[in-house]
Amino acid sequence: MCELKKISLIDEFTQSGKTRFEKTEYPYDEFLSPDGFSYRILSKSDIELKFSNVKSGQILLEGRFDLSLGIPCDRCLKEVEVPISLKFQKELLDEEHRDKVDDEDEFYGLQGTDLDIKAMIDQEILINLPSKVLCREDCKGICPVCGSDRNVKQCDCDTFVPDPRMAGIMDIFMANKEV
Ligand SMILES: [Zn+2]
Ligand SMILES: [Zn+2]
């Protein structure tokens, strides 16, 4: 699989009025979040980036990227297609103009005058991940006692006092979320 390469922004940092467009693919099938979860990428556009020199050592970056991720429902763990539309603006500073204490730009994928597009895009995806995902508003979720999907089958379990012996089943379901 081809990788997203780092690009050098030396000209954009140094040449007054310089503008550059980049259009590139996001060549990955899944998004890995830093906490260890991976989500399938179900559809995606090309990444479009525009770099504009503002002044020496400063670039305005504007970017767009649309994708949809398969994220498990918080209640029943069924995969839900979640569209994410990234549209971002960011000021990039070279090392000379950067606050040495504030390493945010490095975290953003900037190393010297090289930009790691994957690191930057992954960070934007992470910021825009929804905090709550439901397959439908009234998803009934998984029975904590017998582990059946209550959207499909209504079991007769007394869920008020879950049987502790069945806790292992919930562990298996939660472990599946990480696959
Ligand atoms: Zn659900
Ligand atoms: Zn049940």
Side-chain angles (χ1 to χ4, degrees), residues 142-163:
I142 289 171
C143 171
V145 179
C146 72
S148 67
D149 182 345
R150 291 189 288 199
N151 298 307
V152 179
K153 184 182 126 200
Q154 192 57 56
C155 56
D156 300 322
C157 300
D158 178 4
T159 55
F160 188 69
V161 186
D163 185 337

mmCIF file of all heavy atoms in Angstrom, residues 142-163:
data_model
loop_
_atom_site.group_PDB
_atom_site.id
_atom_site.type_symbol
_atom_site.label_atom_id
_atom_site.label_comp_id
_atom_site.label_asym_id
_atom_site.label_seq_id
_atom_site.Cartn_x
_atom_site.Cartn_y
_atom_site.Cartn_z
ATOM 1 N N ILE A 142 -27.810 -4.122 23.868
ATOM 2 C CA ILE A 142 -27.602 -5.544 24.153
ATOM 3 C C ILE A 142 -28.059 -5.841 25.581
ATOM 4 O O ILE A 142 -27.784 -5.078 26.500
ATOM 5 C CB ILE A 142 -26.110 -5.889 23.982
ATOM 6 C CG1 ILE A 142 -25.752 -5.856 22.492
ATOM 7 C CG2 ILE A 142 -25.785 -7.258 24.570
ATOM 8 C CD1 ILE A 142 -24.288 -5.959 22.221
ATOM 9 N N CYS A 143 -28.757 -6.945 25.730
ATOM 10 C CA CYS A 143 -29.187 -7.358 27.067
ATOM 11 C C CYS A 143 -27.954 -7.642 27.921
ATOM 12 O O CYS A 143 -27.102 -8.450 27.540
ATOM 13 C CB CYS A 143 -30.060 -8.598 26.969
ATOM 14 S SG CYS A 143 -30.402 -9.321 28.587
ATOM 15 N N PRO A 144 -27.829 -6.999 29.072
ATOM 16 C CA PRO A 144 -26.645 -7.229 29.913
ATOM 17 C C PRO A 144 -26.642 -8.608 30.565
ATOM 18 O O PRO A 144 -25.630 -9.041 31.105
ATOM 19 C CB PRO A 144 -26.750 -6.124 30.978
ATOM 20 C CG PRO A 144 -28.180 -5.728 31.000
ATOM 21 C CD PRO A 144 -28.741 -5.996 29.630
ATOM 22 N N VAL A 145 -27.777 -9.294 30.500
ATOM 23 C CA VAL A 145 -27.842 -10.621 31.128
ATOM 24 C C VAL A 145 -27.497 -11.720 30.126
ATOM 25 O O VAL A 145 -26.571 -12.505 30.332
ATOM 26 C CB VAL A 145 -29.234 -10.871 31.744
ATOM 27 C CG1 VAL A 145 -29.298 -12.258 32.378
ATOM 28 C CG2 VAL A 145 -29.546 -9.795 32.784
ATOM 29 N N CYS A 146 -28.244 -11.765 29.000
ATOM 30 C CA CYS A 146 -28.022 -12.883 28.063
ATOM 31 C C CYS A 146 -27.199 -12.472 26.848
ATOM 32 O O CYS A 146 -26.783 -13.317 26.056
ATOM 33 C CB CYS A 146 -29.356 -13.483 27.621
ATOM 34 S SG CYS A 146 -30.291 -12.419 26.497
ATOM 35 N N GLY A 147 -26.961 -11.185 26.673
ATOM 36 C CA GLY A 147 -26.107 -10.734 25.581
ATOM 37 C C GLY A 147 -26.788 -10.668 24.230
ATOM 38 O O GLY A 147 -26.136 -10.415 23.214
ATOM 39 N N SER A 148 -28.121 -10.882 24.163
ATOM 40 C CA SER A 148 -28.779 -10.825 22.857
ATOM 41 C C SER A 148 -29.078 -9.373 22.464
ATOM 42 O O SER A 148 -29.241 -8.503 23.316
ATOM 43 C CB SER A 148 -30.061 -11.664 22.862
ATOM 44 O OG SER A 148 -31.008 -11.078 23.715
ATOM 45 N N ASP A 149 -29.110 -9.145 21.164
ATOM 46 C CA ASP A 149 -29.415 -7.820 20.632
ATOM 47 C C ASP A 149 -30.918 -7.580 20.810
ATOM 48 O O ASP A 149 -31.743 -8.223 20.173
ATOM 49 C CB ASP A 149 -29.031 -7.775 19.154
ATOM 50 C CG ASP A 149 -29.288 -6.399 18.532
ATOM 51 O OD1 ASP A 149 -30.011 -5.590 19.147
ATOM 52 O OD2 ASP A 149 -28.771 -6.157 17.431
ATOM 53 N N ARG A 150 -31.271 -6.657 21.664
ATOM 54 C CA ARG A 150 -32.677 -6.454 22.000
ATOM 55 C C ARG A 150 -33.466 -5.749 20.890
ATOM 56 O O ARG A 150 -34.675 -5.625 20.971
ATOM 57 C CB ARG A 150 -32.797 -5.688 23.324
ATOM 58 C CG ARG A 150 -32.349 -6.550 24.504
ATOM 59 C CD ARG A 150 -32.646 -5.930 25.836
ATOM 60 N NE ARG A 150 -31.766 -4.791 26.088
ATOM 61 C CZ ARG A 150 -31.552 -4.297 27.316
ATOM 62 N NH1 ARG A 150 -32.157 -4.813 28.363
ATOM 63 N NH2 ARG A 150 -30.746 -3.275 27.480
ATOM 64 N N ASN A 151 -32.748 -5.264 19.851
ATOM 65 C CA ASN A 151 -33.467 -4.754 18.678
ATOM 66 C C ASN A 151 -34.051 -5.908 17.864
ATOM 67 O O ASN A 151 -35.020 -5.749 17.145
ATOM 68 C CB ASN A 151 -32.524 -3.947 17.781
ATOM 69 C CG ASN A 151 -31.970 -2.738 18.490
ATOM 70 O OD1 ASN A 151 -32.720 -1.938 19.026
ATOM 71 N ND2 ASN A 151 -30.651 -2.613 18.510
ATOM 72 N N VAL A 152 -33.389 -7.053 17.956
ATOM 73 C CA VAL A 152 -33.764 -8.214 17.151
ATOM 74 C C VAL A 152 -34.681 -9.135 17.946
ATOM 75 O O VAL A 152 -35.690 -9.614 17.451
ATOM 76 C CB VAL A 152 -32.487 -8.993 16.713
ATOM 77 C CG1 VAL A 152 -32.867 -10.216 15.898
ATOM 78 C CG2 VAL A 152 -31.567 -8.068 15.923
ATOM 79 N N LYS A 153 -34.316 -9.384 19.180
ATOM 80 C CA LYS A 153 -35.033 -10.365 19.991
ATOM 81 C C LYS A 153 -35.289 -9.789 21.376
ATOM 82 O O LYS A 153 -34.389 -9.264 22.024
ATOM 83 C CB LYS A 153 -34.153 -11.627 20.098
ATOM 84 C CG LYS A 153 -34.802 -12.788 20.828
ATOM 85 C CD LYS A 153 -33.818 -13.957 20.901
ATOM 86 C CE LYS A 153 -33.657 -14.395 22.356
ATOM 87 N NZ LYS A 153 -32.440 -15.151 22.598
ATOM 88 N N GLN A 154 -36.529 -9.854 21.795
ATOM 89 C CA GLN A 154 -36.851 -9.397 23.136
ATOM 90 C C GLN A 154 -36.751 -10.591 24.080
ATOM 91 O O GLN A 154 -37.552 -11.517 24.006
ATOM 92 C CB GLN A 154 -38.269 -8.804 23.154
ATOM 93 C CG GLN A 154 -38.591 -8.049 24.436
ATOM 94 C CD GLN A 154 -37.600 -6.921 24.728
ATOM 95 O OE1 GLN A 154 -37.399 -6.040 23.903
ATOM 96 N NE2 GLN A 154 -36.957 -6.962 25.888
ATOM 97 N N CYS A 155 -35.737 -10.580 24.920
ATOM 98 C CA CYS A 155 -35.576 -11.694 25.851
ATOM 99 C C CYS A 155 -36.391 -11.423 27.116
ATOM 100 O O CYS A 155 -36.899 -10.334 27.313
ATOM 101 C CB CYS A 155 -34.104 -11.905 26.193
ATOM 102 S SG CYS A 155 -33.322 -10.419 26.850
ATOM 103 N N ASP A 156 -36.476 -12.405 27.989
ATOM 104 C CA ASP A 156 -37.280 -12.252 29.206
ATOM 105 C C ASP A 156 -36.418 -12.036 30.436
ATOM 106 O O ASP A 156 -36.855 -12.247 31.561
ATOM 107 C CB ASP A 156 -38.147 -13.514 29.414
ATOM 108 C CG ASP A 156 -39.089 -13.738 28.247
ATOM 109 O OD1 ASP A 156 -39.599 -12.728 27.730
ATOM 110 O OD2 ASP A 156 -39.278 -14.907 27.853
ATOM 111 N N CYS A 157 -35.183 -11.633 30.194
ATOM 112 C CA CYS A 157 -34.264 -11.518 31.334
ATOM 113 C C CYS A 157 -34.706 -10.403 32.274
ATOM 114 O O CYS A 157 -35.255 -9.392 31.854
ATOM 115 C CB CYS A 157 -32.849 -11.204 30.846
ATOM 116 S SG CYS A 157 -32.185 -12.445 29.752
ATOM 117 N N ASP A 158 -34.437 -10.621 33.548
ATOM 118 C CA ASP A 158 -34.619 -9.565 34.536
ATOM 119 C C ASP A 158 -33.336 -8.738 34.529
ATOM 120 O O ASP A 158 -32.316 -9.137 35.077
ATOM 121 C CB ASP A 158 -34.870 -10.193 35.913
ATOM 122 C CG ASP A 158 -35.011 -9.126 36.985
ATOM 123 O OD1 ASP A 158 -34.985 -7.918 36.635
ATOM 124 O OD2 ASP A 158 -35.136 -9.488 38.163
ATOM 125 N N THR A 159 -33.372 -7.596 33.848
ATOM 126 C CA THR A 159 -32.137 -6.810 33.674
ATOM 127 C C THR A 159 -31.880 -5.895 34.856
ATOM 128 O O THR A 159 -30.874 -5.205 34.894
ATOM 129 C CB THR A 159 -32.205 -5.965 32.391
ATOM 130 O OG1 THR A 159 -33.380 -5.165 32.439
ATOM 131 C CG2 THR A 159 -32.219 -6.857 31.166
ATOM 132 N N PHE A 160 -32.838 -5.879 35.793
ATOM 133 C CA PHE A 160 -32.650 -4.980 36.932
ATOM 134 C C PHE A 160 -31.485 -5.441 37.792
ATOM 135 O O PHE A 160 -30.695 -4.638 38.256
ATOM 136 C CB PHE A 160 -33.946 -4.876 37.758
ATOM 137 C CG PHE A 160 -33.850 -3.830 38.822
ATOM 138 C CD1 PHE A 160 -33.805 -2.488 38.472
ATOM 139 C CD2 PHE A 160 -33.788 -4.177 40.159
ATOM 140 C CE1 PHE A 160 -33.707 -1.510 39.439
ATOM 141 C CE2 PHE A 160 -33.686 -3.200 41.134
ATOM 142 C CZ PHE A 160 -33.643 -1.865 40.776
ATOM 143 N N VAL A 161 -31.358 -6.753 37.973
ATOM 144 C CA VAL A 161 -30.225 -7.312 38.719
ATOM 145 C C VAL A 161 -29.479 -8.267 37.795
ATOM 146 O O VAL A 161 -29.795 -9.446 37.732
ATOM 147 C CB VAL A 161 -30.696 -8.071 39.987
ATOM 148 C CG1 VAL A 161 -29.485 -8.500 40.811
ATOM 149 C CG2 VAL A 161 -31.641 -7.218 40.814
ATOM 150 N N PRO A 162 -28.486 -7.763 37.054
ATOM 151 C CA PRO A 162 -27.772 -8.635 36.113
ATOM 152 C C PRO A 162 -27.049 -9.768 36.846
ATOM 153 O O PRO A 162 -26.523 -9.572 37.935
ATOM 154 C CB PRO A 162 -26.757 -7.694 35.449
ATOM 155 C CG PRO A 162 -27.202 -6.314 35.781
ATOM 156 C CD PRO A 162 -27.989 -6.396 37.050
ATOM 157 N N ASP A 163 -27.093 -10.926 36.243
ATOM 158 C CA ASP A 163 -26.415 -12.090 36.804
ATOM 159 C C ASP A 163 -24.908 -11.911 36.645
ATOM 160 O O ASP A 163 -24.407 -11.805 35.525
ATOM 161 C CB ASP A 163 -26.880 -13.335 36.035
ATOM 162 C CG ASP A 163 -26.311 -14.619 36.641
ATOM 163 O OD1 ASP A 163 -25.263 -14.537 37.324
ATOM 164 O OD2 ASP A 163 -26.919 -15.673 36.420
#
